[in-house]
Amino acid sequence: MPCGLQCWDASGKLIVDIGDYNTRYLGRTTITMADNVNVVAGSFAGLTAVGSFVVVVSATSSVYYTPANFAARAYDGGFRIFKLSSYTPSVTLILDMYAFL
């Protein structure tokens, strides 16, 4: 049975149209990036290079970071997180993992 999701805003404009793929939540993990480290890798069962993605949910540090300060990339069996800013104190990240169905 085909499935999907469509959402419209108050003016009737279609803002979400996911008819081709659905996603499955795989789980959550936490990872810490040390001082002056801009890339960190971790393992997570079920992730694939094609068909998975990682979302940075929150960042906790001595300085103000938002999830927008990071990029995430899934690979077979794991992920890499990239810090996009040049100032690099340590930070602890909460990550959610998803797979396309």
Side-chain angles (χ1 to χ4, degrees), residues 66-83:
T66 68
N69 294 110
F70 303 90
R73 178 77 182 185
Y75 59 84
D76 294 342
F79 58 88
R80 284 187 187 84
I81 306 298
F82 303 89
K83 196 182 296 176

Side-chain angles (χ1 to χ4, degrees), residues 12-93:
K13 178 182 173 188
L14 182 64
I15 56 173
V16 175
D17 188 0
I18 304 172
D20 296 344
Y21 297 100
N22 280 324
T23 58
R24 179 173 47 114
Y25 179 70
L26 297 176
R28 177 171 278 190
T29 192
T30 302
I31 195 161
T32 300
M33 298 178 85
D35 289 343
N36 298 315
V37 172
N38 291 323
V39 179
V40 67
S43 61
F44 198 90
L47 287 179
T48 60
V50 178
S52 297
F53 63 96
V54 179
V55 176
V56 178
V57 177
S58 70
T60 305
S61 179
S62 60
V63 299
Y64 180 71
Y65 279 121
T66 68
N69 294 110
F70 303 90
R73 178 77 182 185
Y75 59 84
D76 294 342
F79 58 88
R80 284 187 187 84
I81 306 298
F82 303 89
K83 196 182 296 176
L84 302 178
S85 60
S86 60
Y87 182 64
T88 60
S90 65
V91 61
T92 299
L93 304 171

